[in-house]
Amino acid sequence: MEKVFWDCPDFSLSQTLECGQCFRYQKEEDDCYTVICGQRVVTLGQEGGSIVFYGGGDIPFWKGYFDGDRSYGEIKQRLCNDDPIMAEAVSFAPGIRILRQEFFEMLISFILSQNNHIPRIRGLIQRLCREYGMPVKGDFYSFPTPIQLSHVSEEAYRSIGCGFRSRYMVDAVDKVLAGGFSTEELEKLSTDALRQRLMSICGVGQKVADCILLFSFGRYEVFPTDVWINRVFSHVYCAGEKLSPKELQKSAAERFGEDAGFAQQYLFHYGRKMKIGKE
DNA sequence: ATCCAGGATCTCC
DNA sequence: GGAGATCATGGA
């Protein structure tokens, strides 16, 4: 099989895919991963510092997906300078990069994420794709488009396990199909305006909106604040004192500035894996 | 088994 | 505008 090598610094395939930002990958043998985005599917591995594409595919697209042009070395240096705690979080998973994922996938995925475990979110999305997406390759299905979901009822979402989130799903698809939610239109908006637009969808609060801002629109200054980041942040920066989400975001903005989104992902992954602040 | 999850909403004051 | 209950489900 054709192998194409890509030397991308500060990049670990496993850390980037498994740090919680992405739900559409599957681990294969020999530490390879199959990743799906839209209609595209690719199998990748890592040999030393090089990423290996197996079987070609749209390599320029995937380099963009993995944010290949950004210097994460500089970001990490800014974050870790004079911050030993962040240095520890970064050294725990120095190969995390923030993926550039598709808007509608992120919208639906993070609506389904609320009050839910990551393993279960993945299962939900897998069922959604199997049920309403198109077969792409083997057992992999594309993420359903808004049109493919346009006829799906609340009861149908309930039957695949979406639970109380089912009515949010219907509202999200309806609003996207009604217009004003194309990627081209949305990416012109300021971060605050875009957040407000996203939050006009029922079931999208600030946290879900911020995940979409960070993982789909590259708004790297946002700091998605969930239960984990709450625990970690209060534990490592506030001597265990809990802050309100508003206070926490203000503090994170002062501390990390334009790099807050990157900081969030390093901290989130570190805190979740180390169970920091639990028990 | 029973707890809890990458929260949002509704209701109450 | 903030605190508290409620929401479905299944992985751990």
Side-chain angles (χ1 to χ4, degrees):
Chain A
M1 189 181 292
E2 182 196 0
K3 287 166 72 172
V4 178
F5 291 87
W6 177 33
D7 292 320
C8 182
D10 304 295
F11 183 23
S12 159
L13 195 52
S14 60
Q15 290 170 10
T16 293
L17 292 172
E18 299 198 29
C19 71
Q21 62 178 319
C22 177
F23 306 104
R24 299 277 286 152
Y25 65 89
Q26 181 174 303
K27 188 166 187 183
E28 314 284 3
E29 51 192 20
D30 296 331
D31 288 330
C32 287
Y33 288 85
T34 299
V35 186
I36 323 169
C37 180
Q39 303 282 345
R40 294 180 170 87
V41 57
V42 71
T43 297
L44 303 144
Q46 190 151 18
E47 294 179 13
S50 291
I51 299 297
V52 186
F53 292 86
Y54 292 97
D58 189 346
I59 291 175
F61 168 82
W62 290 108
K63 288 185 176 178
Y65 178 84
F66 289 112
D67 201 20
D69 287 336
R70 193 175 314 280
S71 170
Y72 279 72
E74 295 176 13
I75 294 166
K76 290 188 285 188
Q77 198 159 19
R78 287 197 296 271
L79 285 175
C80 297
N81 182 34
D82 205 29
D83 187 340
I85 296 166
M86 179 58 68
E88 188 174 336
V90 167
S91 72
F92 178 74
I96 291 177
R97 305 177 76 89
I98 303 288
L99 298 174
R100 175 76 67 148
Q101 303 186 70
E102 290 202 340
F103 160 62
F104 187 65
E105 294 194 25
M106 291 295 92
L107 173 63
I108 296 300
S109 298
F110 281 97
I111 283 175
L112 292 176
S113 79
Q114 63 181 263
N115 206 33
N116 222 340
H117 298 84
I118 288 181
R120 185 161 185 277
I121 298 164
R122 294 187 64 202
L124 262 181
I125 292 171
Q126 194 170 34
R127 288 199 287 282
L128 184 74
C129 294
R130 236 188 270 278
E131 202 68 32
Y132 302 108
M134 302 282 285
V136 175
K137 177 184 174 188
D139 197 31
F140 296 103
Y141 290 77
S142 65
F143 200 97
T145 63
I147 291 179
Q148 287 172 319
L149 294 179
S150 60
H151 65 286
V152 180
S153 68
E154 187 176 329
E155 271 315 303
Y157 289 124
R158 217 169 272 276
S159 74
I160 61 171
C162 295
F164 67 90
R165 309 163 194 85
S166 299
R167 72 184 181 93
Y168 304 154
M169 297 284 286
V170 173
D171 188 62
V173 173
D174 284 351
K175 286 210 169 81
V176 168
L177 285 172
F181 280 97
S182 72
T183 303
E184 299 73 44
E185 293 173 85
L186 294 176
E187 64 191 5
K188 290 179 189 158
L189 298 175
S190 71
T191 294
D192 285 336
L194 179 48
R195 179 186 291 118
Q196 289 311 309
R197 176 72 63 85
L198 295 172
M199 287 174 66
S200 71
I201 294 170
C202 192
V204 178
Q206 176 160 353
K207 191 272 172 181
V208 168
D210 283 354
C211 283
I212 300 168
L213 286 169
L214 180 58
F215 299 138
S216 189
F217 290 96
R219 306 302 171 99
Y220 301 109
E221 73 277 24
V222 304
F223 194 80
T225 302
D226 70 327
V227 292
W228 278 108
I229 212 69
N230 229 316
R231 284 180 196 142
V232 180
F233 196 91
S234 66
H235 186 266
V236 301
Y237 289 123
C238 310
E241 183 197 351
K242 293 283 182 187
L243 302 180
S244 72
K246 209 170 186 177
E247 293 170 322
L248 198 160
Q249 300 214 349
K250 183 167 179 288
S251 175
E254 290 168 358
R255 192 177 285 273
F256 307 125
E258 297 300 300
D259 298 318
F262 303 105
Q264 193 273 1
Q265 201 56 28
Y266 292 121
L267 280 177
F268 172 82
H269 182 59
Y270 174 64
R272 193 167 78 93
K273 290 299 177 188
M274 303 296 284
K275 300 184 186 301
I276 290 178
K278 278 211 90 174
E279 297 147 24

